[in-house]
């Protein structure tokens, strides 16, 4: 089987990786996270043996996001508040968004990843599990916890 | 037909707000160079040995020997880039890592014992790489693992400039900066640093002896008896001690042995005492999947108050330095240490497979139990 060129593969999935990173760490850190994650994987000795390179990149992005997660959460919160202020006169965002956004921001990184893949990418738990390299049960548990947390926060 | 979940709708909407802020992806050819990370976590400490206790004077002095032609070890003539201060993370599984052995002392001064510290590092495997890791390693300020008791006799200001294998020999020439100083350094400290270098470098079978240089100038060495010698040195110049000494200080060996690798998200699945003896509760750990690197610092994981609820999976709370971290991100862990409220290690939980491991602990102490996951600070 011919292995697709890394650059081509990256161009194909870059937007997905960026939206994942944005969800995890916010827009200002997303490019750094994706860039570092992809560069690191490609430079690794094992890269040539990786079969599902896209899944590997997804995990790499999540891993890379860990380092800046806590600070990014604070930054993201600031950014969101600033954006809401700036957008306020023209915003079509219903009033529920700030609290929902905050609730999503309160999720753990993994919960957030699962939420993103499930509700934004519409992937079933089995596929999420495949991407993240965890069991389907783990995905379901994370999802259940995330939903429970969101429900609690928003109630 | 089921009605749509309002929560789901709100989450989708909020995600759309988040995702709508996604900036453009960097171009492929603009991706950054990968950062080389500093050595990561100690994994295991195995052996203990001694270097003789000593007193007296005089440090290593410059020699008249002229530099020979030399070959690289592992192609490294120039020093690699300095270890990055950036706390890096690695995708799963840990990439480009290898275990090596660094030698440290369990305490400074004459009674210091040479301690073998198994270390996972992300650099190459040449003697130069190992020595770089040795020079960079610093113990964490505190640790429950005992690693903080270790001492790196190599001064922080010191650096290894090159490590070159002499052609056709097993002699490694190590050029350093800041290791040999004119004054202000106790002889025993220099001797210990040299011992660490020699033991660390000679783990490579291609290296049996070491000669030192300082900024290119050949240097004399100090043996464990603090004898100044004008020749290459080897492990026999820094002999291991007695069996008693090998045992090390009480508790250190097992504590450090248990201090292990990266530890990530895990679930404290059940703490139900049912079915067990009255004074025991079961703490079961489930491992989820992949191995990744999380926060590079020691952190504690404590079950919330509901921890005593039977058979009820829940999130664990994560603490570092007494401050709660909302997030523990992890997919697996290799080992976790179970400490009681006094910080005494009560058990080591270890598993590499989903399904986890069980540990029985005193039920009465359960609320106070802190799970300390031994992702050790690297001193940065």
């Amino acid at each position: 089987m011919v292995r697709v060129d890394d650059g081509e593969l990256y161009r194909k999935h870059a937007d997905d990786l960026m939206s994942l990173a944005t969800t995890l760490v916010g827009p200002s850190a997303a490019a750094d996270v994706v860039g570092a994650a992809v560069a690191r994987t490609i430079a690794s000795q094992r890269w040539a043996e990786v079969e599902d390179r896209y899944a590997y990149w997804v995990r790499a992005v999540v891993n890379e996001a860990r380092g800046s997660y806590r600070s990014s959460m604070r930054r993201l919160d600031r950014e969101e508040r600033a954006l809401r202020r700036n957008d306020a006169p023209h915003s079509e965002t219903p009033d529920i968004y700030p609290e929902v956004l905050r609730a999503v921001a309160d999720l753990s990184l993994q919960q957030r990843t699962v939420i993103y893949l499930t509700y934004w990418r519409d992937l079933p738990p089995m596929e999420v599990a495949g991407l993240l390299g965890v069991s389907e049960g783990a995905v379901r548990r994370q999802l259940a916890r995330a939903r429970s947390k969101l429900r609690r926060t928003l109630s | 037909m089921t009605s749509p979940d309002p929560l789901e709708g709100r989450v989708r909407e909020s995600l759309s707000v988040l995702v709508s802020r996604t900036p453009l992806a960097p171009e492929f050819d603009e991706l950054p160079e990968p950062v080389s990370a500093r050595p990561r976590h100690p994994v295991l400490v195995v052996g203990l040995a001694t270097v003789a206790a000593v007193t007296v004077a005089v440090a290593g002095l410059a020699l008249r020997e002229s530099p020979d032609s030399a070959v690289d070890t592992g192609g490294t003539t120039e020093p690699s880039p300095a270890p990055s201060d950036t706390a890096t993370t690695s995708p799963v599984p840990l990439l480009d890592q290898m275990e090596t052995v660094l030698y440290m002392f369990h305490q400074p001064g004459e009674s210091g014992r040479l301690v073998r510290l198994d270390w996972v590092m992300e650099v190459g495997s040449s003697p130069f790489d190992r020595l770089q890791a040795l020079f960079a390693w610093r113990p964490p300020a505190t640790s429950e693992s005992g690693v903080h008791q270790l001492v790196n006799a190599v001064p922080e200001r010191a650096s290894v400039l090159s490590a070159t294998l002499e052609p056709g020999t097993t002699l490694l020439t190590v050029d350093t900066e800041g290791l040999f100083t004119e004054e202000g350094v106790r002889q025993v400290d220099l001797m210990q640093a040299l011992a660490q270098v020699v033991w660390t470098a000679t783990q490579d079978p291609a290296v049996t002896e070491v000669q030192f240089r300082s900024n290119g100038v050949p240097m004399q060495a100090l043996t464990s008896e603090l004898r100044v010698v004008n020749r290459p040195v080897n492990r026999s110049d820094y002999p291991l001690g007695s069996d008693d000494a090998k045992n090390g200080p009480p508790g250190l060996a097992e504590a450090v042995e248990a201090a292990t690798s990266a530890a990530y998200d895990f679930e404290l699945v059940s703490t139900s005492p049912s079915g067990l003896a009255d004074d025991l509760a079961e703490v079961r750990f489930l491992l989820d999947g992949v191995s990744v690197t999380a926060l590079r610092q020691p952190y504690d994981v404590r079950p919330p108050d509901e921890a005593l609820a039977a058979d009820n999976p829940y999130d664990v709370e994560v603490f570092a330095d007494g401050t709660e971290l909302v997030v523990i991100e992890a997919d697996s862990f290799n080992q976790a240490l179970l400490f009681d409220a006094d910080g005494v290690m009560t058990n080591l939980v270890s598993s590499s497979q989903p399904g986890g491991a069980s540990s029985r602990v005193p039920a009465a102490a359960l609320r106070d139990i802190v799970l300390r996951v031994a992702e050790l600070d690297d001193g940065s």
Side-chain angles (χ1 to χ4, degrees):
Chain A
M1 192 176 93
V2 178
R3 190 174 162 101
V4 178
D5 170 69
D6 287 337
E8 188 181 332
L9 189 73
Y10 172 76
R11 282 184 282 277
K12 180 179 175 187
H13 295 296
D15 290 343
D16 285 346
L17 297 173
M18 283 295 293
S19 61
L20 169 62
T22 301
T23 306
L24 297 180
V25 298
S28 59
D32 288 345
V33 163
V34 169
V38 172
R40 192 189 307 281
T41 52
I42 290 176
S44 78
Q45 290 171 359
R46 299 185 186 187
W47 180 240
E49 299 161 14
V50 173
E51 289 183 3
D52 189 343
R53 287 176 289 166
Y54 171 59
Y56 207 74
W57 276 342
V58 168
R59 295 195 287 260
V61 165
V62 176
N63 294 340
E64 197 66 41
R66 294 171 199 277
S68 55
Y69 182 65
R70 278 177 291 161
S71 56
S72 345
M73 285 305 95
R74 290 191 289 273
R75 187 175 57 239
L76 181 61
D77 188 48
R78 285 198 302 273
E79 288 172 357
E80 291 297 343
R81 275 188 274 126
L83 280 166
R84 283 198 297 275
R85 276 198 304 275
N86 295 338
D87 290 350
H90 313 291
S91 176
E92 296 175 0
T93 304
D95 289 342
I96 59 165
Y97 284 146
E99 64 201 65
V100 179
L101 285 170
R102 197 164 295 120
V104 171
D106 282 343
L107 297 176
S108 76
L109 192 70
Q110 192 165 32
Q111 289 167 348
R112 208 166 175 177
T113 304
V114 169
I115 285 283
Y116 166 83
L117 293 172
T118 301
Y119 292 129
W120 183 251
R121 300 279 304 282
D122 283 325
L123 299 178
M126 185 187 297
E127 288 185 38
V128 174
L131 273 181
L132 299 179
V134 300
S135 69
E136 187 178 340
V139 170
R140 290 185 187 280
R141 281 195 298 276
Q142 291 289 352
L143 194 56
R145 289 179 195 181
R147 290 175 57 87
S148 165
K149 200 167 182 176
L150 288 169
R151 192 168 281 117
R152 253 194 336 265
T153 308
L154 297 173
S155 64
Chain B
M1 180 180 160
T2 55
S3 57
D5 182 349
L7 176 70
E8 188 176 318
R10 296 171 81 187
V11 170
R12 285 181 192 278
E13 287 167 348
S14 69
L15 283 171
S16 75
V17 173
L18 284 171
V19 173
S20 69
R21 310 265 154 78
T22 301
L24 289 176
E27 293 296 326
F28 184 72
D29 51 9
E30 292 172 355
L31 293 177
E33 290 295 315
V35 179
S36 95
R38 69 168 59 213
R40 220 177 273 274
H41 29 265
V43 173
L44 187 67
V45 164
V46 186
L48 293 165
T50 58
V51 167
V54 258
T55 44
V56 266
V58 208
L61 300 171
L63 274 182
R64 17 184 181 80
E65 192 180 327
S66 63
D68 295 319
S69 60
V71 295
D72 301 350
T73 60
T76 318
T77 5
E78 294 300 319
S80 300
S84 165
D85 283 331
T86 307
T88 57
T89 56
S90 293
V92 286
L94 295 172
L95 292 174
D96 300 335
Q97 293 196 336
M98 57 162 296
E99 287 186 25
T100 191
V101 177
L102 308 180
Y103 288 86
M104 302 293 162
F105 282 82
H106 95 275
Q107 62 183 50
E110 289 79 5
S111 56
R113 281 195 276 272
L114 201 56
V115 174
R116 173 179 156 148
L117 175 67
D118 282 23
W119 189 265
V120 174
M121 59 185 205
E122 290 186 341
V123 293
S125 59
S126 72
F128 178 80
D129 293 323
R130 290 193 172 103
L131 292 178
Q132 261 210 322
L134 170 68
F135 276 56
W137 192 89
R138 297 294 153 205
T142 59
S143 76
E144 286 71 30
S145 62
V147 172
H148 68 288
Q149 298 176 51
L150 303 184
V151 173
N152 190 353
V154 176
E156 289 191 35
R157 65 178 178 278
S159 59
V160 55
L161 301 177
S162 66
T164 52
L165 197 57
E166 302 303 317
T169 72
T170 56
L171 171 63
L172 187 74
T173 297
V174 178
D175 194 8
T176 63
E177 185 175 61
L179 182 60
F180 295 87
T181 53
E182 300 291 328
E183 52 188 37
V185 175
R186 294 193 313 160
Q187 194 176 24
V188 66
D189 294 333
L190 174 63
M191 180 276 291
Q192 289 185 334
L194 301 187
Q196 290 180 235
V197 171
V198 168
W199 275 82
T200 299
T202 53
Q203 69 185 280
D204 187 322
V207 178
T208 60
E209 51 186 357
V210 175
Q211 64 183 9
F212 290 95
R213 289 194 174 131
S214 181
N215 288 308
V217 178
M219 304 297 291
Q220 291 178 317
L222 279 172
T223 66
S224 62
E225 294 89 13
L226 295 189
R227 245 177 349 107
V228 179
V229 294
N230 184 9
R231 59 168 174 77
V233 283
N234 56 44
R235 287 190 175 192
S236 67
D237 290 306
Y238 308 96
L240 303 183
S242 65
D243 288 343
D244 282 349
K246 286 178 184 175
N247 289 332
L252 175 65
E254 60 268 32
V256 180
E257 183 169 350
T260 180
S261 74
Y264 312 111
D265 203 3
F266 56 87
E267 296 171 283
L268 198 54
V269 170
S270 171
T271 55
S272 168
S274 62
L276 298 174
D278 288 341
D279 60 342
L280 292 178
E282 185 178 37
V283 180
R284 191 160 86 91
F285 301 85
L286 270 191
L287 311 183
D288 277 342
V290 290
S291 174
V292 291
T293 296
L295 304 172
R296 180 178 293 191
Q297 60 185 43
Y299 52 84
D300 304 334
V301 181
R302 187 166 66 197
D305 288 343
E306 301 86 347
L308 292 173
D311 300 317
N312 183 27
Y314 46 80
D315 291 332
V316 291
E317 299 173 14
V318 183
F319 295 80
D321 301 326
T323 303
E324 182 178 1
L325 307 176
V326 176
V327 183
I328 176 172
E329 285 313 322
D331 305 295
S332 74
F333 69 101
N334 296 327
Q335 292 183 344
L337 306 181
L338 196 58
F339 285 79
D340 66 16
D342 296 324
V344 177
M345 188 177 75
T346 59
N347 212 332
L348 168 66
V349 178
S350 173
S351 176
S352 58
Q353 296 299 321
S358 296
S359 176
R360 292 183 175 192
V361 297
L366 192 56
R367 281 177 185 276
D368 295 323
I369 281 176
V370 176
L371 299 173
R372 297 186 194 276
V373 182
E375 166 88 8
L376 294 174
D377 185 55
D378 59 8
S380 60

